[in-house]
Amino acid sequence: VQLQASGGGLVQTGGSLRLSCAAFRRNFSNSAVGWFRQAPGKEREFVAGIVYSHLAIVSEDSVRGRFTVSRDNAKNTVYLQMNSLKLDDTAVYYCAASDTVVELRARPDYWGQGTLVTVSS
């Protein structure tokens, strides 16, 4: 299974970015796919995830209302739309996948490479 993340970059506070995670996996539409991030000097943390087509969407309090996760199964791609970005959102963002959201949050089976998001003032 291969996951390829893209879309990171430099943005000012209050700006927006959309990250993409392209997956090369059978039965992708049934997979739980999510985003993690790791800020400098901090541990990697779960940000948001999506299971099936739109059955369930999970997100952490720190990003709820600002970040939205969605998927296009026809393109085998999951997106993370990030709005109202804050300095604290600066991190390397990783996409990951597992069969279930429980597994995804605990220990994903598959990881993509990270994409750097830098929010500047």
Side-chain angles (χ1 to χ4, degrees):
V1 175
Q2 182 178 356
L3 300 173
Q4 185 170 353
S6 62
L10 176 64
V11 63
Q12 291 187 328
T13 53
S16 298
L17 278 177
R18 188 177 78 161
L19 305 182
S20 299
C21 176
F24 304 91
R25 184 187 190 195
R26 290 182 179 180
N27 299 320
F28 172 75
S29 62
N30 294 329
S31 300
V33 184
W35 292 92
F36 292 73
R37 68 183 181 183
Q38 186 167 20
K42 296 185 178 180
E43 294 186 353
R44 190 176 299 184
E45 64 176 358
F46 176 79
V47 174
I50 186 168
V51 296
Y52 298 116
S53 297
H54 304 90
L55 186 60
I57 300 173
V58 179
S59 61
E60 295 300 319
D61 289 343
S62 63
V63 303
R64 189 170 290 139
R66 299 189 298 119
F67 290 9
T68 303
V69 61
S70 62
R71 70 195 299 164
D72 184 339
N73 288 330
K75 296 182 178 180
N76 275 13
T77 301
V78 170
Y79 303 98
L80 183 66
Q81 178 66 43
M82 305 185 295
N83 299 326
S84 302
L85 283 162
K86 304 176 180 180
L87 294 176
D88 288 347
D89 295 320
T90 295
V92 177
Y93 285 72
Y94 301 88
C95 64
S98 282
D99 289 334
T100 70
V101 70
V102 173
E103 293 171 349
L104 176 68
R105 296 189 69 166
R107 184 178 294 181
D109 294 320
Y110 310 102
W111 288 96
Q113 90 289 0
T115 184
L116 176 63
V117 172
T118 304
V119 184
S120 65
S121 58

